[in-house]
């Protein structure tokens, strides 16, 4: 990789982590800025491109791996966390990041989310929440409001309460939980850097507007606000604060200290020795 | 007078120790140089309840269950009706029964089998710490002529830690049982063991599959328990760790296969094991493995289906889902071991093939092989190892073509850690450079390539077990092979030459090889354990079968017996 001279640090630039592929996203989609935040975070950390793996499921947001220049695996809908866990458990030395949407992560992939949080493998999950299924053209997702009536599938509104990703992550035992807004790639980058550096499973919830199916989300600019407290390492305290928050507070809620899950193994026996156990 | 094979059922409700006695009998027989096979029959309950250890012993290798039980020894008759159908008897059989447990149930007595009374409970009761199963073991040992030294070694091994009192109680029980049975003269003494030849192993099909994975070079396993595949995972857990690999318990089968794909994408050979319902859940990700060209091995230990079906009993009815279950045109490998011992070779081969061809391989084992334990000659060492074709020339930045359209169809892989090989593997259709593409030409190219790498590969002789000659042939697969082999040998012993073709490589198909194996055949009998004759239809769809083709196909849960195949063959001649 070429190295470049930035202000006063010698290191890679965000552009080094971008691929040549032009995103297929709609003009104005929040995911562009998230991508900018991601590549900025990678540059900040100076990740080796060949030692970094990004995994995604299916959805507009899950297209990100093709737009980066590290190793990537664009998998199937909902399974990204399980695939990524396999990568990290098998090769702990790799940097593993996962990208996806709210539908991918909390609906079809809900069970994997729950278990990824409790398993606490050292990897970072960036969920781009637009409270809608973008790729399949605008159906309600698990984070959509109960009375959102714009989907042909649920013309009367989904009629069920949205889940709160941050509270869910805390309840399931994620070790680092933060929220960002795509409009501010620098802040997104900072949260990702903190998440990657923090040992264990990090969940970065990013509000990322779908300008096509939820144009009103452009107003999120004026809805979001700093969460306003210092990160805690106490999940109970974090949960209390999150429940008091309106879902638009930005910052780091929890930087916990659970030990990451990483089974160690060392070869102590040859296969021939194991085989001997079968001899009559 | 001696016999060539004895088939014994030890029955009793939970706690009677029928399984333990069966296992000791098998181990003792192995010690003195006999071969044997033990399967278990358990009811639907998890623990306790009725159970039977079904043991067959012989001086020569045992391929499948016996035609009928020569000996049934019952510690009690609780719920025996539930599996009476699994205990075929004849008027030559012997039922050993404890008079204190009541009459022999009518379903069994109707066979006309000889009845012999043995006061099992009373004999055990006279011994401090005495147990009924040891009395039974002693009686059976005396009937079949099992030398005492063989049992002593087993007792020592099993009870050594429990101390002298336990060993003495067991010995006294065995003595009591064998003393009573010594005078019965039932004519069921087994021919002398042959201790010559190769080292023998005592192994179950599920253990053999686990060992095959290790020998193939697997270093990662993601596991979700399901009967009858769990023992593969349980065997791998400690043994993978000892050999520097890892096993992780996943939250479900969707995660198991996905984790394996992740590990494999990062370059680590991976395996998971499951049964029908789990395989259903895995199919979407198996397709991802096909499209993204990520090797992975899935052992499906088949059980009665559909749905939850009969988890503890065998069938071969996952053939269709294994071959056709993926959406789209998704060529992949499907192999089936032909015996308990062969679960080792076939799984090891599957690891090798999956890695060499960068695609998923499904190993179709089944309950009858997986959960049975056999005394076999130590399987020969096979050279097959995981050896993925890695890209070597990654100098030109951005030029690496992950899905290069090579002549062999195999594209050199780059794995994380290799500078210059960065790419995104994808289940979306893609161009050679791995970027998503919905163009007809890219789709055609990749479909062709993924098929070509499977069809142009030389699988050698391992595609099938081909034995014998003659104009009549049995074509079969999986655990139907054992009884088919025995039936063919009986035919030959009576002067009719016959062939056996047990297909190990189910997919991709090998039409030229099967045609050669069946050259000159005028009658073909297809043998399988399904209701829908899935294997027969599969053969019909992909191969030209010569002459008159007949089918022996019936569902589980009762095992296919050599007698059934033999009778069908006789009716065809
Ligand atoms: C098994 C399966 N079911 C359904 C789909 C169709 N599908 C593709 S993306 C998607 C939803 C994506 O929504 P989200 O995860 O919120 O991502 P976004 O597109 O909004 O970024 C669905 C339902 C699929 N690809 N696979
Ligand atoms: S549909 Fe919505 S989420 Fe998808 S690219 Fe367009 S704006 Fe973005």
């Amino acid at each position: 990789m070429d190295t470049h001279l930035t202000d006063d640090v010698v290191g890679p630039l965000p552009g080094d982590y971008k691929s040549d592929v032009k995103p297929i996203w709609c003009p104005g989609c929040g995911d562009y800025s998230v991508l900018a935040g991601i590549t900025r975070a990678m540059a900040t950390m100076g990740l080796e491109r060949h030692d970094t793996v990004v995994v995604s499921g299916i959805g507009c947001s899950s297209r990100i791996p093709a737009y980066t220049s590290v190793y990537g695996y664009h998998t199937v809908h909902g399974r990204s966390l399980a695939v990524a866990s396999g990568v990290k458990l098998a090769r702990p030395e790799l940097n593993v990041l996962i990208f996806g949407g709210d539908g991918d992560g909390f609906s079809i992939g809900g069970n994997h989310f729950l278990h990824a949080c409790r398993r606490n493998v050292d990897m970072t999950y960036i969920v781009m929440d637009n409270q809608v299924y973008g790729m399949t053209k605008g159906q309600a997702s698990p984070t959509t409001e109960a009375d959102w009536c714009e989907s042909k599938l649920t013309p009367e509104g989904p009629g069920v309460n949205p889940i709160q990703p941050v509270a869910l992550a805390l309840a399931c035992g994620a070790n680092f939980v933060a929220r960002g807004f795509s409009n501010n790639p620098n802040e997104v980058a900072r949260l990702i850097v903190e998440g990657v550096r923090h040992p264990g499973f990090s969940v970065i919830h990013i509000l990322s507007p779908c300008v096509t199916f939820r144009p009103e989300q452009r107003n999120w600019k004026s809805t979001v606000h700093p969460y306003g407290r210092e990160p805690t390492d106490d999940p109970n305290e974090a949960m209390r604060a999150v429940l008091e928050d309106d879902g638009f507070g930005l910052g780091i809620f929890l930087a916990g200290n659970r030990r990451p899950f990483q089974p160690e193994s060392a070869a102590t026996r040859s296969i021939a020795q194991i085989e001997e156990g079968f001899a009559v | 007078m001696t016999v060539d094979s004895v088939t014994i059922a030890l029955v009793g409700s939970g706690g009677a120790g029928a399984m333990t006695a069966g296992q000791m009998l098998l181990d003792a027989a192995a010690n003195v140089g006999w071969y044997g096979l033990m399967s278990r029959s358990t009811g639907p309950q998890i623990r306790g309840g009725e159970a039977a250890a079904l043991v067959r012993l012989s001086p020569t290798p045992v391929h499948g269950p016996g035609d009928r039980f020569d000996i049934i020894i019952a510690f009690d008759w609780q719920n025996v009706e539930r599996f009476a159908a699994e205990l075929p008897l004849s008027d030559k059989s012997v039922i050993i029964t404890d008079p204190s447990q009541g009459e022999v149930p009518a379903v069994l007595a109707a066979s006309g089998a000889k009845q012999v009374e043995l006061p099992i409970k009373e004999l055990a009761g006279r011994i401090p710490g005495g147990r009924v199963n040891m009395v039974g073991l002693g009686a059976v040992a005396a009937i079949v002529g099992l030398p005492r030294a063989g049992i002593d070694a087993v007792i020592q091994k099993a009870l050594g830690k429990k101390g002298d009192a336990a060993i003495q109680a067991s010995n006294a029980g065995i003595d009591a049982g064998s003393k009573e049975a010594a005078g019965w003269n039932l004519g069921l003494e087994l021919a002398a063991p042959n201790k010559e030849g190769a080292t023998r192993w005592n192994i179950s099909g599920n253990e053999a599959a686990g060992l095959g994975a290790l020998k193939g070079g697997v270093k990662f396993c993601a596991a979700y328990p399901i009967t009858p595949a769990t023992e593969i995972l349980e065997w791998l857990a400690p043994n993978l760790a000892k050999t520097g690999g890892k096993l992780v318990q996943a939250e479900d089968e969707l995660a198991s296969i996905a984790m394996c794909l992740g590990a494999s994408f990062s370059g680590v050979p991976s395996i998971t094991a499951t049964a029908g319902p789990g395989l259903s859940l895995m199919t979407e990700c198996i397709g991802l493995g096909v499209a993204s060209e990520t090797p992975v091995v899935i052992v499906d230990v088949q059980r009665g289906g559909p749905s939850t079906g009969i988890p503890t009993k065998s069938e071969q009815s996952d053939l269709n889902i294994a071959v056709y279950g993926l959406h789209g045109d998704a060529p992949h490998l499907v192999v089936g071991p032909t015996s308990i011992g062969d679960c080792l070779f076939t799984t090891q081969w599957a690891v090798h093939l999956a890695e060499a061809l960068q695609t998923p391989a499904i190993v179709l084992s089944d309950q009858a092989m997986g959960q049975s334990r056999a005394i076999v000659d130590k399987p020969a060492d096979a050279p097959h190892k995981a050896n993925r074709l890695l890209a070597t020339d990654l100098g030109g930045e951005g030029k690496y073509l992950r899905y290069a359209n090579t002549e062999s169809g195999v594209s050199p892989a780059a794995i994380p850690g290799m500078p210059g090989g960065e790419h995104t593997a994808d289940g979306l259709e893609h161009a050679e450079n791995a970027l998503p593409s919905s163009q007809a030409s890219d789709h055609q190219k990749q479909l062709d390539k993924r098929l070509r790498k499977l069809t142009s590969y030389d699988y050698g002789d391992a595609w099938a077990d081909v034995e014998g000659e003659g104009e009549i042939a049995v074509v079969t697969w999986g655990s139907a092979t054992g009884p088919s082999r025995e039936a063919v040998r009986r035919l030959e012993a009576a002067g009719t030459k016959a062939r056996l073709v047990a297909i190990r490589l189910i997919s991709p198909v090998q039409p030229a090889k099967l045609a050669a194996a069946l050259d000159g055949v005028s009658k073909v009998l297809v043998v399988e354990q399904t209701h829908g004759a899935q294997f027969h239809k599969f053969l019909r769809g992909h191969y030209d079968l010569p002459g008159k083709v007949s089918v022996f196909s019936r569902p589980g849960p009762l095992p296919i017996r050599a007698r059934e195949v033999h009778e069908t063959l006789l009716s065809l001649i």
Side-chain angles (χ1 to χ4, degrees):
Chain A
M1 188 193 309
D2 299 335
T3 51
H4 306 261
L5 212 53
T6 59
D7 295 347
D8 49 12
V9 190
V10 177
L13 290 175
D16 294 328
Y17 295 93
K18 286 208 176 89
S19 76
D20 304 335
V21 183
K22 199 173 157 292
I24 55 162
W25 295 316
C26 311
C29 175
D31 294 348
Y32 285 101
S33 313
V34 183
L35 176 60
I38 289 165
T39 52
R40 242 170 255 195
M42 289 176 168
T44 304
M45 292 181 281
L47 298 184
E48 290 287 2
R49 285 173 31 214
H50 59 272
D51 284 338
T52 303
V53 178
V54 294
V55 181
S56 69
I58 296 295
C60 297
S61 40
S62 285
R63 299 292 286 232
I64 281 184
Y67 310 145
T68 65
S69 65
V70 300
Y71 276 93
Y73 202 170
H74 183 213
T75 68
V76 289
H77 198 30
R79 312 295 158 219
S80 60
L81 287 171
V83 173
S85 302
V87 173
K88 184 69 182 182
L89 290 167
R91 298 270 312 271
E93 75 278 17
L94 299 173
N95 313 304
V96 179
L97 293 93
I98 309 102
F99 309 124
D102 39 305
D104 191 74
F106 307 128
S107 193
I108 191 165
N111 195 36
H112 305 308
F113 179 73
L114 193 163
H115 291 279
C117 291
R118 71 179 263 266
R119 194 175 281 121
N120 201 30
V121 173
D122 186 15
M123 52 190 195
T124 303
Y125 184 29
I126 294 126
V127 202
M128 285 154 254
D129 190 354
N130 51 16
Q131 302 178 348
V132 75
Y133 289 178
M135 180 147 274
T136 48
K137 298 198 168 68
Q139 297 81 22
S141 91
T143 54
T144 304
E145 311 87 300
D147 59 356
W148 183 71
C149 301
E150 303 299 317
S151 162
K152 288 182 191 154
L153 259 187
T154 51
E156 306 293 323
V160 290
N161 281 341
I163 59 153
Q164 298 186 31
V166 166
L168 181 66
L170 289 171
C172 296
N175 203 37
F176 179 97
V177 185
R179 185 185 290 123
F181 177 41
S182 69
N183 239 34
N184 188 348
N186 282 333
E187 179 63 3
V188 167
R190 183 183 80 88
L191 297 177
I192 294 173
V193 169
E194 298 278 334
V196 170
R197 288 190 175 151
H198 197 81
F201 185 59
S202 315
V203 178
I204 322 260
H205 179 225
I206 305 216
L207 298 165
S208 179
C210 173
V211 293
T212 301
F213 298 106
R214 311 257 355 220
E216 75 280 11
Q217 288 175 347
R218 291 176 194 270
N219 294 339
W220 279 355
K221 271 191 208 126
S222 50
T223 320
V224 295
H225 55 84
Y227 149 72
R229 297 190 209 200
E230 286 303 302
T232 169
D233 62 359
D234 176 0
N236 293 324
E237 199 183 315
M239 184 65 104
R240 271 194 297 276
V242 162
L243 293 178
E244 283 166 15
D245 182 67
D246 62 358
F248 291 93
L250 309 180
I252 299 170
F253 297 97
L254 175 76
N257 41 34
R258 281 179 60 209
R259 261 221 344 231
F261 175 73
Q262 182 54 257
E264 290 303 319
S265 74
T268 56
R269 281 292 167 89
S270 70
I271 293 174
Q273 284 171 316
I274 290 171
E275 279 184 3
E276 274 166 27
F278 292 116
V280 170
Chain B
M1 204 193 72
T2 58
V3 292
D4 289 334
S5 149
V6 182
T7 299
I8 306 142
L10 298 106
V11 259
S13 51
M19 291 301 176
T20 309
Q23 243 151 42
M24 286 183 161
L25 180 62
L26 184 73
D27 293 350
N31 280 342
V32 303
W34 278 322
Y35 291 88
L37 175 81
M38 172 173 149
S39 54
R40 313 156 153 258
S41 179
T42 46
Q45 58 281 85
I46 307 306
R47 265 180 189 268
E50 73 283 1
L54 311 174
V55 185
R56 188 178 182 200
L57 303 177
S58 170
T60 54
V62 173
H63 301 296
D67 288 342
R68 288 187 187 76
F69 283 89
D70 300 299
I71 304 168
I72 288 189
I73 179 157
F75 303 116
D76 55 67
W77 290 118
Q78 272 176 49
N79 295 325
V80 77
E81 286 85 358
R82 280 206 216 152
F83 56 91
E86 290 175 47
L87 301 174
L89 301 172
S90 77
D91 55 3
K92 298 200 179 58
S93 311
V94 181
I95 301 176
I96 302 168
T97 167
D98 186 338
S100 75
Q101 301 299 310
E103 297 273 290
V104 174
V107 275
L108 298 179
S111 62
K114 187 176 194 168
Q115 299 187 13
V116 184
E117 291 193 345
L118 177 68
I120 308 173
K121 223 174 154 186
E122 193 192 317
L123 289 171
R126 285 189 212 147
I127 302 160
R131 300 205 46 200
V132 288
N133 62 345
M134 292 299 108
V135 175
L137 177 61
V140 172
I143 297 169
V144 302
L146 179 62
R148 185 57 200 255
I151 305 184
D152 284 344
V154 172
I155 298 277
Q156 193 59 44
K157 204 170 159 192
L159 300 177
K161 282 202 196 103
K162 291 198 177 172
D164 286 347
I167 292 176
Q168 269 165 29
S170 291
N171 282 335
I174 289 162
D175 287 339
S178 56
K179 203 168 134 215
E180 293 280 327
W184 291 345
N185 285 324
L186 297 172
L188 289 172
E189 211 154 301
L190 207 51
N194 174 11
K195 289 209 78 164
E196 304 289 292
T199 315
R200 308 257 170 95
W201 275 11
N202 181 337
I203 195 165
S204 75
N206 279 345
E207 290 169 347
L211 180 58
L214 283 194
K215 293 188 79 161
V218 162
K219 289 279 190 254
F220 184 86
C221 174
Y224 194 77
I226 183 169
T227 307
T230 309
E231 294 93 353
I232 298 181
L233 307 166
E234 288 174 340
W235 188 87
L236 275 172
N239 289 304
L240 259 180
K242 283 177 201 153
T243 51
K246 282 174 192 162
L247 178 139
V248 191
Q249 183 169 334
E251 53 271 29
D252 55 31
E253 287 85 351
L254 304 151
S256 299
I257 182 76
M259 284 182 179
C260 284
L261 287 177
S264 177
F265 168 79
S266 78
V268 177
S270 302
I271 200 167
T272 185
T274 190
L279 184 63
S280 294
L281 289 180
M282 288 181 186
T283 52
E284 190 198 20
C285 266
I286 298 175
L288 171 63
V290 171
S292 64
E293 306 204 39
T294 311
V296 65
V297 176
I298 305 102
V299 185
D300 172 33
V301 188
Q302 301 166 92
R303 60 193 217 177
S307 190
T308 333
I310 314 184
T312 54
K313 311 277 176 188
S314 205
E315 212 164 67
Q316 295 183 300
S317 47
D318 292 350
L319 178 75
N320 280 351
I321 184 181
V323 176
Y324 304 116
L326 312 185
H327 67 273
D329 288 310
H332 59 285
L333 295 154
V334 182
V335 295
T338 58
S339 69
I340 290 172
D342 189 53
C343 288
L344 192 170
F345 171 82
T346 299
T347 309
Q348 184 178 347
W349 194 44
V351 174
H352 169 75
L353 293 178
E355 291 281 327
L357 298 171
Q358 298 180 23
T359 202
I362 300 175
V363 180
L364 285 176
S365 177
D366 60 38
Q367 188 274 339
M369 289 195 278
Q371 292 193 315
S372 297
R373 176 168 287 289
I375 311 303
V376 297
D377 289 331
K378 178 179 185 294
D381 274 321
H384 306 298
K385 286 263 182 306
N387 194 2
R388 204 178 301 184
L389 179 65
L390 293 181
T392 48
D393 184 18
L394 292 170
E397 187 132 333
K399 298 288 183 299
Y400 168 62
L401 300 180
R402 168 64 187 100
Y403 300 111
N405 192 21
T406 60
E407 198 184 320
S408 71
V410 178
S411 317
I415 56 174
M418 291 169 63
E422 296 84 2
H423 67 279
T424 290
D426 212 320
L428 274 180
E429 191 54 284
H430 38 255
E432 289 181 72
N433 61 6
L435 294 180
S437 165
S438 50
Q439 284 189 29
S441 58
D442 285 327
H443 188 42
Q444 181 79 42
K445 233 187 240 170
Q446 294 299 324
L447 286 173
D448 286 347
K449 179 180 109 67
R450 295 193 291 253
L451 183 63
R452 184 169 73 247
K453 68 180 179 178
L454 292 192
T455 51
S456 64
Y457 186 82
D458 179 5
Y459 297 91
D461 290 338
W463 72 281
D465 290 343
V466 183
E467 301 166 9
E469 48 194 82
E471 283 181 31
I472 186 158
V474 176
V475 179
T476 187
W477 76 288
S479 69
T481 304
S484 299
R485 175 177 286 133
E486 198 169 335
V488 164
R489 295 207 176 146
R490 281 185 206 178
L491 215 59
E492 284 171 343
T496 306
K497 283 185 173 171
R499 300 183 202 187
L500 175 76
V501 181
I503 297 182
R504 182 179 289 105
L505 180 61
I506 309 286
S507 188
V509 291
Q510 305 294 312
K513 286 181 174 164
L514 185 62
L518 295 181
D519 187 34
V521 161
S522 62
K523 286 173 187 156
V524 171
L525 176 65
V526 178
V527 179
E528 60 179 302
Q529 194 174 24
T530 65
H531 187 251
Q534 294 183 20
F535 185 57
H536 172 233
K537 288 171 187 159
F538 173 77
L539 291 173
R540 288 285 205 186
H542 299 280
Y543 292 96
D544 289 328
L545 297 175
K548 186 174 173 329
V549 179
S550 311
V551 188
F552 175 88
S553 163
R554 67 158 177 70
L558 300 182
I560 292 179
R561 295 180 189 276
R563 173 179 52 79
E564 299 173 281
V565 182
H566 184 223
E567 280 166 8
T568 311
L569 281 172
L570 289 177
S571 74
L572 297 177
I573 293 171

